[in-house]
């Protein structure tokens, strides 16, 4: 059973996280200092570092929560599903459950605003791409285990994840540069772009045109 002290620590961590994301999304990641985050919650800089390794750690905390949920969804997909279908269903299930996944820490609206801040901040985007590469390797190994193949001898798990990861990146860029920043919009865009993978890779793009 959670103790009073543990609940107090969790409240402090959640307050610091929310303050950090609010500041990052309103005044910019680079212009926000750890001291400002701590001051917004009424604690010391030292207290901030008890919960987060630094600003980048705070910036990606909610994305990490979402990622862990996605990986759990992949593991739970039925064994009969083909790998790409399992990834597709897992990511859509993740968007469907995003409120219960992240709202224990921050509002979904703030999570979505942070999504756009990461995309528009060079330092955060570089970190996002670096972290995504690590995540993709985790997914590839998860798929290999799921399908009973050797990830280092069979290229298919990494190829499948490379395609999937590329679609997610296109989705992120399109959503962040569009006009509809709703949860429904990014969920719909994700589904639509994943559905285009087959036709894009194997279809004839010039159908109905002179060659």
């Amino acid at each position: 059973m959670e103790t009073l002290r543990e609940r107090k620590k969790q409240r402090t961590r959640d307050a610091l996280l929310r303050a950090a994301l609010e500041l990052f999304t309103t005044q910019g990641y680079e212009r926000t200092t750890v001291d400002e985050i701590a001051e917004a919650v009424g604690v010391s800089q030292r207290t901030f570092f008890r919960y987060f390794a630094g600003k980048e750690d705070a910036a990606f905390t909610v994305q990490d929560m979402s990622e862990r949920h996605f990986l759990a969804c992949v593991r739970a997909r039925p064994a009969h599903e083909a790998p790409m279908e399992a990834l597709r269903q897992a990511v859509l299930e993740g968007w469907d459950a995003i409120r219960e996944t992240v709202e224990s820490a921050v509002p979904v609206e703030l999570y979505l605003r942070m999504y756009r801040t990461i995309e528009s901040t060079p330092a955060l985007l570089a970190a996002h791409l670096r972290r995504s590469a690590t995540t993709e390797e985790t997914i590839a190994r998860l798929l290999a285990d799921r399908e009973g193949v050797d990830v280092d001898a069979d290229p298919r798990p990494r190829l499948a994840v490379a395609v999937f990861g590329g679609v997610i990146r296109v989705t992120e860029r399109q959503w962040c540069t569009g006009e509809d920043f709703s949860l429904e919009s990014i969920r719909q865009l994700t589904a639509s772009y994943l559905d285009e993978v087959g036709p894009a890779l194997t279809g004839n793009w010039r159908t109905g045109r002179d060659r």
Side-chain angles (χ1 to χ4, degrees):
M1 185 176 177
E2 192 177 43
T3 66
L4 178 62
R5 183 170 179 271
E6 289 170 338
R7 289 197 297 272
K8 183 178 179 181
K9 288 173 64 176
Q10 187 61 50
R11 285 196 297 270
T12 300
R13 184 179 187 277
D14 290 347
L16 283 166
L17 176 60
R18 184 164 182 170
L21 299 194
E22 288 285 2
L23 287 167
F24 294 158
T25 57
T26 54
Q27 68 181 29
Y29 175 78
E30 302 287 4
R31 290 189 293 273
T32 298
T33 67
V34 169
D35 282 336
E36 286 177 308
I37 298 168
E39 183 179 350
V41 180
V43 299
S44 66
Q45 183 190 85
R46 183 178 178 182
T47 298
F48 174 89
F49 285 114
R50 285 181 190 152
Y51 297 96
F52 303 101
K55 290 199 304 178
E56 183 181 305
D57 185 25
F60 286 98
T61 291
V62 184
Q63 277 74 11
D64 288 344
M65 293 168 61
S66 177
E67 178 186 296
R68 287 193 295 272
H69 185 267
F70 166 73
L71 292 172
C73 289
V74 175
R75 293 187 183 96
R77 295 308 305 170
H80 66 80
E81 285 184 347
M84 285 299 291
E85 180 62 15
L87 293 177
R88 180 188 186 279
Q89 294 300 329
V91 74
L92 295 181
E93 183 179 332
W95 280 121
D96 290 339
I98 197 67
R99 294 191 185 281
E100 61 190 71
T101 303
V102 307
E103 280 199 336
S104 60
V106 301
V108 168
E109 183 271 337
L110 179 55
Y111 166 72
L112 294 175
R113 279 199 282 135
M114 192 61 205
Y115 221 103
R116 302 197 299 278
T117 298
I118 289 171
E119 190 72 23
S120 63
T121 306
L124 288 179
L125 181 56
H128 175 51
L129 296 177
R130 183 184 71 245
R131 295 161 73 99
S132 293
T134 300
T135 301
E136 287 177 7
E137 179 63 16
T138 300
I139 300 169
R141 292 184 176 277
L142 176 57
L143 282 186
D145 289 343
R146 184 178 185 275
E147 300 300 317
V149 300
D150 182 350
V151 72
D152 294 318
D154 189 328
R156 289 176 296 177
R158 289 193 177 102
L159 287 173
V161 173
V163 171
F164 176 78
V167 174
I168 297 303
R169 281 298 301 135
V170 170
T171 301
E172 290 171 342
R173 286 197 299 268
Q174 288 296 107
W175 181 75
C176 287
T177 57
E179 297 181 354
D180 186 350
F181 296 130
S182 67
L183 175 61
E184 293 73 19
S185 173
I186 192 169
R187 199 264 187 208
Q188 182 178 5
L189 208 58
T190 303
S192 174
Y193 284 6
L194 285 171
D195 288 343
E196 287 295 324
V197 169
L201 295 180
T202 63
N204 180 3
W205 296 5
R206 298 188 176 188
T207 299
R209 292 173 51 192
D210 293 333
R211 296 185 179 178

